[in-house]
Amino acid sequence: MVAKRGIQVASLRGRRVLVRVDFNVPQEANGQVADDRRIQEALPTLNHLRAAGARTILMSHLGRPEGRHDPRFTLKPVVHRLSAILGQPVPLASDIIGIQAIEGSARLANGEFLMLENLRFHPGEEANDPAFAAALARLGELFVEDAFGTLHRAHASTVGVPSRLPSYAGFLVEREVRELSRLVERPERPYVALLGGAKVADKLPLLASFLGRADTVAIGGALAFPFLAHRGHTLGATEVEGGLEDVLVEFDRAAMGAKTEIVLPTDAVLERPGTSATDVVEIGAIPPDAIIRDIGPATVARFRGALLDSRTVFWNGPLGRAEDPRFAAGTRDVLAHLASIPGYHVGAGGDSARIAQDLAVTSSFQFLSTGGGAALEFVQGTELPGLAILPDA
Ligand code: ADP
Ligand code: 3PG
Ligand code: MG
């Protein structure tokens, strides 16, 4: 593990400090913050900056608005929650790098905060456009990286800004790196990766890195669909992410040479259109109008079996649509079982952490990471661009 230069050593009083946070929080249908964990986890850094008399300018993305202003993804509900938590107002500069942001950051007094509107409203963020990065960097004198969940993205705020300003790792980034490093450097075996969720196109190409690294990879959630389809199963009306054929062929080829066991669902809980009833059916017998929404009891038993003598567990991604109580049992039963198994258990992901909370299974984990894709890449030993660019301690 390479330690990064931390904010403890930065001189902060009266300085304008740009802080990248990951406030990409789960939202309610009306945009309100459904779970403020990612905000809470940034507080050690924010409180340190405030106590040290810094003038803090916060930057984050929310969702994937793809370079356009989209009111569904405004950070207004986030600054509202943040202001309540900090007990002081955090104004929002809605023009990101415009006159509001420039004047707002110049007017900050020691210990005050300003937040920039969703960085992904601007096309320059994801493109890491040099002019956009330079405009962001001009708002501050120092940069603090505390957005662990976004370190796997080479964007203007995660790479462009730290290449232009003296940069430091925040406390959340330090803690995440310390905890997750335990899975990279000689994890105790057997090591089981339990994977699910819905960001299939993002995550599926990463899974091959678990081959040889983990002893068992158990796959549920929507992530399992392309594997099942690739093995010739028809999945009814379930939407299966396409375009992954080559990745799956390559995965199977790599799996043949590796000692890692792959465990896939053998049964499923189905949603039937037009009814609220659910069915449990074997994977080979899914009717044409049905949609897979959860792993079934036989799969739960297999996953629990795989975890039974594990010593290290990495979990990312719900095993079904666990926000709906009809489809939460798979995720709940597998994760609840973990609580009675000794070893080091890490849960990861914005949605995963919220669901663990809702299902009352957070005590199954020694550490809940705020990162989803970032944690997934980190535990596979991949260099994260947002981390690599920070100076070493
Ligand atoms: P994380 O944020 O933890 O990294 P993802 O964003 O990849 O996880 O996925 C979380 C979402 O996956 C949840 O909202 C859950 O409803 C969804 N999901 C998992 N399995 C299914 C399924 N079978 N059908 C529909 N949605 C699913
Ligand atoms: C996450 O929720 O995993 C991070 O905030 C990154 O979001 P992204 O996958 O849209 O880049
Ligand atoms: Mg998610």
Side-chain angles (χ1 to χ4, degrees), residues 20-28 31-33 38 59-78 115 117-122 125-126 149-150 152-153 155 157 199 202 350-351:
R20 182 50 158 104
V21 287
D22 185 343
F23 288 172
N24 182 26
V25 294
Q27 295 175 273
E28 313 278 8
Q32 294 308 301
V33 177
R38 280 182 165 175
M59 313 185 278
S60 181
H61 72 285
L62 176 65
R64 295 178 169 177
E66 300 190 328
R68 283 182 304 272
H69 184 101
D70 180 336
R72 288 175 301 166
F73 298 112
T74 174
L75 284 170
K76 276 180 198 154
V78 169
M115 178 137 211
E117 182 54 288
N118 191 342
L119 297 172
R120 290 188 187 171
F121 284 177
H122 196 293
E125 166 62 358
E126 291 185 74
T150 321
H152 59 319
R153 307 291 183 213
H155 294 169
S157 62
K199 283 183 179 170
D202 277 19
D351 291 296

Side-chain angles (χ1 to χ4, degrees), residues 18-21 57-60 115-116 119 136 143 157 161:
L18 271 167
V19 184
R20 182 50 158 104
V21 287
I57 301 137
L58 298 168
M59 313 185 278
S60 181
M115 178 137 211
L116 308 182
L119 297 172
L136 287 173
F143 174 74
S157 62
V161 175

Side-chain angles (χ1 to χ4, degrees), residues 24 54 63 94 127 130 134-135 137 162 194 213 220 225 266 282-283 307 327 355 363 366 386:
N24 182 26
S94 56
L194 179 62
R213 187 174 280 279
F225 302 161
T266 53
E282 275 176 38
I283 290 297
L307 293 167
F327 307 118
I355 281 162
S363 57
Q366 276 74 44

